[in-house]
């Protein structure tokens, strides 16, 4: 039997970790009721019809090298895992969009005339705001290589919560 864990986050803090074995979800049990209550709180309509996947920038604003970017030295690979997940969800009839913030940041930097004209944070906020308002997802999935993109991932999560505070986020 595979052990599953449900982690519930509220206001960016871990509030409860509930270890769940698939066979232990007895209808009416405390675990089943708690899970149902939390799922209803997170997804009031109890359905996810639109999922937005986000690939954060490889580098956060503090460590971004403008000259390095202008020379084309930052990697810009599509997220393979996100592509697979998006494909699977689309087969289930779920609308999926992918926002590659790394690509958006690198493109904006390359198109900028000078370092003074480029603001990584402004690019990210603009892209997030536009996509969240236009696509209106029920869930946002954020992919990351956590050791490499930890700070930019956390920045993106904070920015999403400022734009749409009640929108559920999933990291992986």
């Amino acid at each position: 039997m595979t052990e599953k864990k449900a982690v519930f986050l509220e206001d960016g803090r871990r509030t409860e970790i509930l270890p769940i074995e698939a066979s232990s979800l007895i209808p009416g049990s405390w675990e089943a009721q708690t899970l149902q209550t939390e799922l209803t709180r997170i997804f009031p309509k109890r359905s996810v019809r639109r999922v937005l996947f986000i690939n954060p920038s490889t580098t956060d604003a503090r460590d971004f090298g403008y000259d390095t970017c202008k020379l084309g030295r930052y990697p810009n690979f599509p997220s393979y895992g996100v592509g697979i997940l998006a494909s699977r969800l689309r087969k289930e009839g779920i609308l999926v969009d992918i926002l590659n913030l790394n690509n958006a940041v690198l493109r904006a930097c390359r198109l900028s005339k000078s370092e003074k004209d480029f603001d990584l944070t402004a690019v990210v906020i603009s892209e997030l705001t536009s996509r969240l308002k236009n696509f209106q997802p029920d869930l946002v999935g954020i992919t990351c290589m956590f050791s490499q993109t930890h700070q930019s991932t956390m920045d993106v999560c904070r920015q999403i919560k400022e734009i749409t505070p009640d929108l559920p986020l999933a990291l992986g």
Side-chain angles (χ1 to χ4, degrees), residues 7 19 43 54 64 66 71 76 78 92 112 126 130-131 159 163:
V7 179
F43 303 103
I54 297 175
F64 188 81
Y66 182 82
L71 291 170
N76 191 17
E92 296 296 323
S112 68
S126 173
S130 174
R131 195 66 59 96
Q159 291 156 346
I163 299 165

Side-chain angles (χ1 to χ4, degrees), residues 90-122:
R90 286 177 179 135
K91 287 180 183 176
E92 296 296 323
I94 295 171
L95 295 173
V96 179
D97 197 4
I98 300 171
L99 173 56
N100 186 340
L101 286 172
N102 190 54
N103 187 62
V105 164
L106 297 179
R107 181 180 61 245
C109 178
R110 286 190 152 176
L111 293 173
S112 68
K113 302 264 189 243
S114 70
E115 192 168 357
K116 291 178 187 175
D117 295 333
F118 175 73
D119 182 346
L120 185 146
T121 303

Side-chain angles (χ1 to χ4, degrees), residues 43 48 50-54 128 132 137-142 156 160 164 167-171:
F43 303 103
V48 174
R50 296 170 166 274
V51 175
L52 173 62
F53 287 114
I54 297 175
L128 284 172
L132 289 168
D138 300 310
L139 173 69
V140 171
I142 302 169
V156 165
I160 291 169
T164 53
L167 186 62
L169 304 178
L171 292 167

Side-chain angles (χ1 to χ4, degrees), residues 6-41:
V7 179
F8 304 114
L9 301 176
E10 189 172 297
D11 297 331
R13 298 181 312 265
R14 187 178 319 238
T15 58
E16 183 173 356
I17 298 176
L18 178 64
I20 299 172
E21 286 187 30
S23 63
S24 72
L25 284 178
I26 300 166
S29 68
W30 176 83
E31 292 91 348
Q33 289 175 356
T34 301
L35 185 59
Q36 291 301 322
T37 300
E38 287 301 309
L39 287 172
T40 300
R41 182 182 66 79

